[in-house]
Structures are given as structure tokens and as C-alpha cells.
Amino acid sequence: MFEQFLSENPISSINPSIDIASIYQPSDPLFESVLYIQRNLWAEAKKQLEPMAKNQNPDAKFWLASITWGTGIKNNPIAKKLYMESAEQGNPYAALFFSPKNDICRMYFPNECSDKWTKKAQKLFAEKAKTGDVRAVYYSTTLKPDLTHKEYIDAVIQSAEKHYYYPLVEYANTIINEDKPNKNMEAMAVDLLNYARFNNFVPAIDALGDYEAKHNRLHSEEMKRLDEQGLKLGSNISWRGYRIESLHDDSLTETQKYIAAKATELFNGDDFGISFTHPPKEKDALIAANKKAQEKADSVKKVIYIDGAHVPEG
């Protein structure tokens, strides 16, 4: 089925436009907050989400809960309350959080994990699926208790055809992350990842980067291409690599290294490189360097690729 899908949808170069099924668009009230979460700028996200959560926005409650649990013993009950309220108010991802299959729920809130929440999530997704929501279509199908493998693969392919690539990437990753994967299956998995990568899906870029690293090809031409693409699209992994490579690049001046470190800090709050650089001492030179760093950070495409089922860990 996957071979047929790939043969019917040939792609061998990066799509000039970004066509992924993003959960929010720039016009949505939650867009900036969730973009902050994606970029690990959780303090900024929290400031925006708290007032919306107080106004009983179930989606804001879900995202606020997602960056609250695990941040301290006192915060876990707050997160549980937010998740519960969000689920009861109709957010299917919040309901899915309390599934017995969710490791986080079992670890932090074991008494709350129940199949009733999985059933509720499936019903909520089924309702949303009627509106054509591609994620809802996928989860309302795959959460069915009597799901067959063929139905699962079908759902993965249909999601990819509608530009929701997470299921495709997850399937491919299960294959290439095996200790001794079947070579034909491994090659197909790489093709699937490239399909999503050529359509500018960041998790696929990250997965292919991990695959290169796994085979000790950290400095391959393919890795360079992946990093370049990841930088433009906002991959935190690519940005960390950019910061590390810049610090160790003897061909760069101290000011250039500072600009790379500062741009990384501005992009996603990663300030580790700053302490290893020497910013310009003259005021005008420092202002110019900071301007270049800001331009580098601002050049990243503002596209949300995370969703309620794929929240990054801080």
C-alpha cells in the first residue's frame, strides 16, 4: 500500500511552498502561543495562555496544562485540573491525555487514567471529523477498538494525502529505529520520510537527521541539506546543530560566532552558546551584530507543525 502511494505521488525535490496541515493559522488567537511552545519559549506562551484559560477556552487550557505538568510537584495538580476541565469542555486531546496508554498520565495521574476517556476522545474526534478536520478523521479511525492493520495503514496514507504527515513519520520511525530492520522496509521508510521532508514537514527532517547520525554520517552532504532546510523551517534540532557548528568553526570570526549564538537565543531561548562567545566591545558593532542575529531569527518560517498529540518536552 505504501509502495503504491509513493509511486502515485512521486516527489524528489523540496516543495517551494509549505503545504502541511497546521493546527493553527496566523489569524487564530492561539497561533502565537503554540508557536512559542513549539520553539520552547514556554514562559512567553504561559503569559498568553493564562488569560485565555481563565476565560474558559478549552484549547488554551489544554496547551497551558501541557507546559505545566512535570515542572514541579505543586504544578502537577494544576495541570491535572486544566486537562480535566479541557476534556470535559470538549478538547479531544485532553480526553486522550487520560488514556491508560498514555505513559505521562500513568506516571503523574495514575488514578485518573481510564478507558472511558479514550472512548470520549474517540467520540469528540468523530464529531470534529464531520467538519473535515484531518487530524480528527485520523484519530477517530485509529482509536476504534476493533481497528485492523489495513484500516490503520489506510488512515496513515489518507492523512498524508491531506498533508498531515505525523502518522507517516511515526510509522517510518518504528521501522528505521529497530535494531536490525528489514532492508527493503528500511528503504521504504526512508522514502516515506523523504516524502514528508520534501513537503517541508520538520519532524521528517529531524527523523532523517537522526538516521544520518545513526549511520555515522554527521558531516554528509545530505546532513548539510537537512540542516539548511531545518533552519529555515524552525527545527530546534537544526538550530542546536547550527549553534554547535558555529562555535567550533575556526573560519568564523568571534563576531560571527556571537551572531549565531545570539540568533539561536532569540529563536528558541537556547542561550548556551552565548557564554562561549565574545560579543563586539564597541557599541555600534554590538548593535549591528544584534541586528543581524535578529534578522536571522526572524527569517524562520512561522509554521506550526506540533499538535495536541505531539507536544514537545521542555
Side-chain angles (χ1 to χ4, degrees), residues 99-248:
S99 164
K101 293 182 179 180
N102 184 3
D103 293 338
I104 296 168
C105 183
R106 291 206 312 272
M107 184 183 299
Y108 288 92
F109 317 116
N111 295 331
E112 305 295 343
C113 308
S114 167
D115 283 326
K116 75 174 185 179
W117 290 109
T118 308
K119 292 175 183 175
K120 183 176 179 66
Q122 204 270 337
K123 287 180 181 178
L124 289 170
F125 278 125
E127 282 299 311
K128 285 183 178 290
K130 294 175 184 177
T131 68
D133 184 319
V134 61
R135 290 173 175 78
V137 171
Y138 174 75
Y139 287 108
S140 64
T141 300
T142 56
L143 286 174
K144 292 194 305 185
D146 56 348
L147 180 75
T148 66
H149 189 65
K150 183 181 183 302
E151 286 175 325
Y152 163 62
I153 300 301
D154 246 347
V156 172
I157 290 173
Q158 286 179 30
S159 295
E161 289 175 339
K162 294 174 183 174
H163 314 294
Y164 179 44
Y165 302 111
Y166 256 123
L168 196 74
V169 170
E170 289 173 335
Y171 179 87
N173 278 336
T174 59
I175 295 170
I176 63 175
N177 290 329
E178 290 178 1
D179 288 337
K180 294 180 180 178
N182 175 285
K183 289 300 177 184
N184 290 333
M185 288 289 285
E186 183 180 27
M188 184 193 72
V190 172
D191 286 343
L192 291 174
L193 289 176
N194 270 307
Y195 177 84
R197 172 266 184 107
F198 288 141
N199 280 296
N200 297 300
F201 189 55
V202 167
I205 297 169
D206 292 342
L208 286 166
D210 288 342
Y211 183 73
E212 289 294 294
K214 180 182 176 181
H215 290 84
N216 298 313
R217 297 193 292 261
L218 284 169
H219 303 288
S220 66
E221 288 301 313
E222 175 67 355
M223 192 65 139
K224 289 178 185 177
R225 287 190 289 268
L226 290 167
D227 283 339
E228 286 174 9
Q229 188 183 7
L231 275 174
K232 293 175 184 175
L233 296 170
S235 161
N236 287 307
I237 293 174
S238 294
W239 270 83
R240 185 170 66 241
Y242 164 69
R243 183 254 292 164
I244 293 169
E245 290 292 327
S246 299
L247 286 175
H248 292 90

Side-chain angles (χ1 to χ4, degrees), residues 292-306:
K292 285 185 178 180
Q294 188 69 63
E295 288 171 353
K296 177 75 175 177
D298 289 344
S299 70
V300 180
K301 304 289 184 184
K302 292 185 176 180
V303 179
I304 292 174
Y305 54 82
I306 63 172

Side-chain angles (χ1 to χ4, degrees), residues 255 259 280 282-293 295:
T255 296
I259 290 170
E282 294 183 6
K283 184 179 178 181
D284 288 347
L286 180 60
I287 291 172
N290 285 336
K291 184 181 178 183
K292 285 185 178 180
E295 288 171 353

